[in-house]
């Protein structure tokens, strides 16, 4: 069949639905900072426990390493969101790094007799329990982080920094007050998360299949 002289073949638009999904490489800056935070945990624990006193050079270094490590938590999360570097490895590694760092600080201070063991048990019990609960309810859905959870993280970090830094009895007292507030928020947000998880499970179980 003869085509008209000005005939042009129709343009073929690419089928983007068939394109492979872009994957973010796990070897990125955000995950690198998370790995650095994990590597700093044993160094921090050594510096904290190696000095029998609370005002030696190693105690200052322990406080400095903790501040650097906790800062990487804020930086890597911001980088991952702004530069679209969120990966499955980061989702798993980031909370592990956080729990390891905070756990080392709580346990270390309790071993040194500078923080009541019941505080450490309550806080770490809540953190580990909620982490386990996340894996249980993930098949039903994801519960987003609340403002209370973020406040809990800020209060815990601030309290630990004040207790780690050898800045004298007055600062230590402020640190214990902030830690008291952190414990209250930690327990309240833990109960709230548990209730949300229960409601989510009931809703999904009652949904028609």
């Amino acid at each position: 069949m003869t085509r008209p002289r000005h005939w042009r073949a129709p343009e073929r638009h690419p089928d983007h639905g068939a394109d492979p999904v872009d994957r973010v490489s796990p070897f990125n800056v955000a995950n690198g900072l998370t790995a650095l935070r994990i590597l700093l945990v044993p160094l921090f624990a050594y510096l904290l426990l190696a000095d029998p006193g609370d005002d030696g050079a190693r105690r200052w270094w322990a406080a400095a390493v903790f501040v650097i490590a906790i800062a990487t938590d804020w930086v890597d999360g911001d980088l991952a969101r702004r530069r679209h570097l969120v990966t499955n490895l980061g989702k798993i590694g980031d909370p592990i790094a956080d729990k390891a760092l905070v756990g080392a600080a709580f346990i270390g201070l309790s071993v040194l007799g500078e923080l009541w063991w019941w505080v450490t048990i309550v806080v770490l019990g809540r953190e580990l329990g909620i982490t386990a609960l996340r894996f249980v309810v993930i098949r039903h859905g994801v519960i987003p982080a609340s403002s209370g959870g973020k406040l809990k993280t800020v209060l815990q970090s601030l309290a630990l920094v004040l207790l780690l830094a050898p800045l004298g009895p007055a600062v230590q007292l402020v640190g214990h007050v902030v830690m008291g507030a952190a414990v209250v928020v930690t327990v309240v947000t833990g109960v709230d998360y548990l209730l949300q998880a229960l409601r989510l499970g009931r809703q999904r179980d009652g949904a028609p299949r």
Side-chain angles (χ1 to χ4, degrees):
M1 183 177 66
T2 304
R3 298 189 181 101
R5 185 170 52 184
H6 300 293
W7 181 87
R8 295 178 59 186
E11 296 181 1
R12 298 185 62 185
H13 298 283
D15 181 8
H16 293 292
D19 291 343
V21 177
D22 291 336
R23 295 182 180 274
V24 179
S25 171
F27 301 100
N28 57 58
V29 178
N31 287 347
L33 290 173
T34 299
L36 174 63
R37 187 158 70 258
I38 294 175
L39 293 175
L40 288 176
V41 172
L43 174 61
F44 161 71
Y46 166 76
L47 292 171
L48 178 60
L49 298 175
D51 195 332
D54 61 355
D55 57 355
R58 287 177 181 160
R59 183 58 177 263
W60 278 108
W61 278 109
V65 170
F66 181 83
V67 170
I68 292 171
I70 208 71
T72 64
D73 182 29
W74 298 94
V75 174
D76 66 6
D78 184 62
L79 281 174
R81 288 186 294 270
R82 288 194 296 107
R83 298 189 180 183
H84 307 289
L85 299 176
V86 178
T87 64
N88 290 330
L89 178 62
K91 292 179 181 178
I92 296 173
D94 187 69
I96 291 176
D98 296 342
K99 300 297 184 295
L101 178 63
V102 172
F106 273 99
I107 293 174
L109 288 171
S110 292
V111 168
L112 294 173
E114 300 177 29
L115 184 65
W116 290 311
W117 272 106
W118 71 264
V119 172
T120 296
I121 293 171
V122 168
V123 171
L124 296 188
R126 182 271 191 197
E127 298 295 341
L128 295 176
I130 294 302
T131 299
L133 186 60
R134 290 178 190 272
F135 287 102
V136 173
V137 303
I138 195 171
R139 63 189 179 91
H140 298 302
V142 177
I143 300 176
S146 64
S147 57
K150 296 176 182 178
L151 176 62
K152 177 263 303 180
T153 301
V154 171
L155 289 174
Q156 285 184 5
S157 301
L158 178 59
L160 289 172
V161 170
L162 293 173
L163 293 175
L164 288 168
L167 294 174
V171 175
Q172 294 285 308
L173 177 59
V174 174
H176 283 292
V177 172
V178 177
M179 181 61 76
V183 171
V184 172
V185 176
T186 297
V187 173
V188 170
T189 54
V191 172
D192 179 65
Y193 189 93
L194 177 61
L195 294 176
Q196 290 187 62
L198 291 174
R199 286 195 295 267
L200 181 61
R202 290 170 182 169
Q203 291 173 0
R204 298 296 293 181
D205 291 339
R209 292 178 174 81

